[in-house]
Amino acid sequence: MTKKVYVSRRMPPVAMEALGKICEYDLNPEDRNATREELAYALKNYAAVVTMLSDQADAELIAQAGPNLKLIANYAVGFNNIDVKAANARGIYVSNTPDVLTDATADLGWALLFAAARRVIEGDNIVRTSRMGGGPEYLLGSDITGKTLGIVGAGRIGSNFAKKGALGFGMKVLYYGRHNSPALDEIGAKLVSLDELLAESDYVSLHCPLTPDTRHLIGAEQLAKMKHSAILINTARGPVVDEKALVSALKNGTIAAAGLDVYEHEPDVEPELKTLSNVVLMPHVGSATLGTRTNMGLMVVRNVEAVLAGNTPPNEVKL
Ligand code: GLV
Ligand code: GLV
């Protein structure tokens, strides 16, 4: 008999143990992303499938899902890899992992901001590979404290990131989003147009989900509206930025620097980005701490448990 739950890639031990206590599962035995064929098989043959962001549960695969499939539990807060409408239309729930990764993802955003502003990677490289220089104008970076921070997308992560800037570094916060955010209004942040945010901010940090509306939200035209001294941070989704336009902007001095955790065509990265010293590159690891990845797994388990018991998943995603 097939087991009820399929896990497309191993989660941290505490989460796997918790899953083992509530159901029998099959786990992708390989330490790699599931292939499209493996995902298709899982959707056909299991009651719940735990997916990673790299698993594309699109309309075509969902159309072939088996009659027993009740839940696609995404091991991520974002769910642009799943056709939620197609799943819901077939009575399949989709769940995600909100809240537990908010701090970790915002913190990684700060790591990128600091590294880009103070040229941490360049400095590290100098110390390792040559003799350090010096003098009043040596390895100059950008001030952070008291500067203006522009937040695009004022959800949980954007608001958390902004609070850290306002409370920790006395930054003035501007934000752009579809709604006003009480959490941001509380710290004196100001809701502005995207154009105003781009023109005024010393740091622009992206926190919006990837939707048809946000694809290439930041392209050549928007980059040109930023200050030449500005730094762009993206811990949201790669396709929110036109990556080729960003390469040009970084090369031409349209903006000063960038810090990226996400890319337009993951796992591929625009080759020229890798040649630039004014960009800090991380491999999509916003939520990658053991505590956070464990809590995401425990949240997945609670959603699987609810659905196997015939209930609505607590972290249901609906469009
Ligand atoms: C990571 O990108 C997530 O959506 O959890
Ligand atoms: C995601 O958790 C967000 O709302 O930023």
Side-chain angles (χ1 to χ4, degrees):
M1 208 187 75
T2 50
K3 298 190 184 126
K4 285 187 168 161
V5 178
Y6 180 80
V7 182
S8 84
R9 197 153 184 179
R10 184 186 294 279
M11 303 185 285
V14 171
M16 295 309 299
E17 277 161 33
L19 186 66
K21 288 194 182 133
I22 62 136
C23 67
E24 280 189 72
Y25 63 80
D26 282 331
L27 168 67
N28 175 4
E30 310 287 340
D31 186 23
R32 56 155 172 76
N33 295 332
T35 64
R36 188 163 175 85
E37 291 67 34
E38 287 163 348
L39 182 62
Y41 180 87
L43 295 170
K44 272 187 196 138
N45 292 288
Y46 292 83
V49 177
V50 179
T51 49
M52 307 291 128
L53 269 182
S54 45
D55 297 322
Q56 296 295 329
D58 54 25
E60 187 191 332
L61 287 197
I62 286 170
Q64 302 164 26
N68 295 327
L69 183 65
K70 298 284 179 295
L71 171 68
I72 301 172
N74 212 33
Y75 184 71
V77 69
F79 42 82
N80 51 287
N81 58 313
I82 298 172
D83 192 325
V84 177
K85 279 198 180 128
N88 289 169
R90 296 206 48 189
I92 302 162
Y93 290 116
V94 175
S95 66
N96 69 340
T97 63
D99 303 316
V100 289
L101 47 58
T102 299
D103 273 309
T105 307
D107 292 353
L108 196 268
W110 278 101
L112 289 171
L113 190 152
F114 278 114
R118 299 305 303 270
R119 305 173 60 183
V120 172
I121 310 298
E122 285 174 83
D124 179 275
N125 197 39
I126 289 171
V127 175
R128 285 171 199 274
T129 61
S130 57
R131 204 178 153 76
M132 68 174 83
E137 293 185 290
Y138 180 61
L139 207 68
L140 297 179
S142 306
D143 285 314
I144 296 167
T145 298
K147 293 292 170 179
T148 299
L149 178 60
I151 302 292
V152 176
R156 289 165 290 233
I157 299 170
S159 300
N160 181 294
F161 184 92
K163 264 194 184 170
K164 287 171 171 158
L167 303 178
F169 304 102
M171 297 178 93
K172 176 180 165 194
V173 179
L174 305 177
Y175 73 100
Y176 168 72
R178 284 179 304 164
H179 306 289
N180 71 302
S181 154
L184 285 186
D185 296 342
E186 218 172 84
I187 55 160
K190 197 169 144 213
L191 179 63
V192 294
S193 68
L194 182 58
D195 281 355
E196 187 176 343
L197 181 143
L198 295 170
E200 299 290 321
S201 300
D202 298 301
Y203 297 90
V204 173
S205 189
L206 307 180
H207 300 280
C208 52
L210 176 62
T211 67
D213 288 342
T214 63
R215 187 173 289 273
H216 282 196
L217 183 67
I218 305 297
E221 195 187 317
Q222 289 70 32
L223 291 161
K225 288 179 177 159
M226 291 171 65
K227 297 181 183 180
H228 292 310
S229 56
I231 294 180
L232 178 72
I233 305 300
N234 189 5
T235 52
R237 283 292 179 270
V240 173
V241 177
D242 177 340
E243 210 163 274
K244 285 197 191 309
L246 177 60
V247 168
S248 302
L250 289 168
K251 265 171 60 180
N252 303 336
T254 308
I255 67 171
L260 307 175
D261 187 41
V262 290
Y263 303 88
E264 193 168 352
H265 305 289
E266 290 174 20
D268 297 328
V269 173
E270 192 60 35
E272 252 192 303
L273 265 183
K274 302 184 198 176
T275 68
L276 302 174
S277 59
N278 57 343
V279 61
V280 178
L281 307 171
M282 283 292 274
H284 200 151
V285 288
S287 63
T289 69
L290 179 59
T292 295
R293 288 281 167 88
T294 298
N295 287 332
M296 289 164 67
L298 294 174
M299 191 171 254
V300 161
V301 172
R302 287 194 292 277
N303 284 283
V304 169
E305 187 174 27
V307 171
L308 293 182
N311 299 318
T312 303
N315 305 104
E316 181 182 12
V317 171
K318 265 188 156 165
L319 285 182

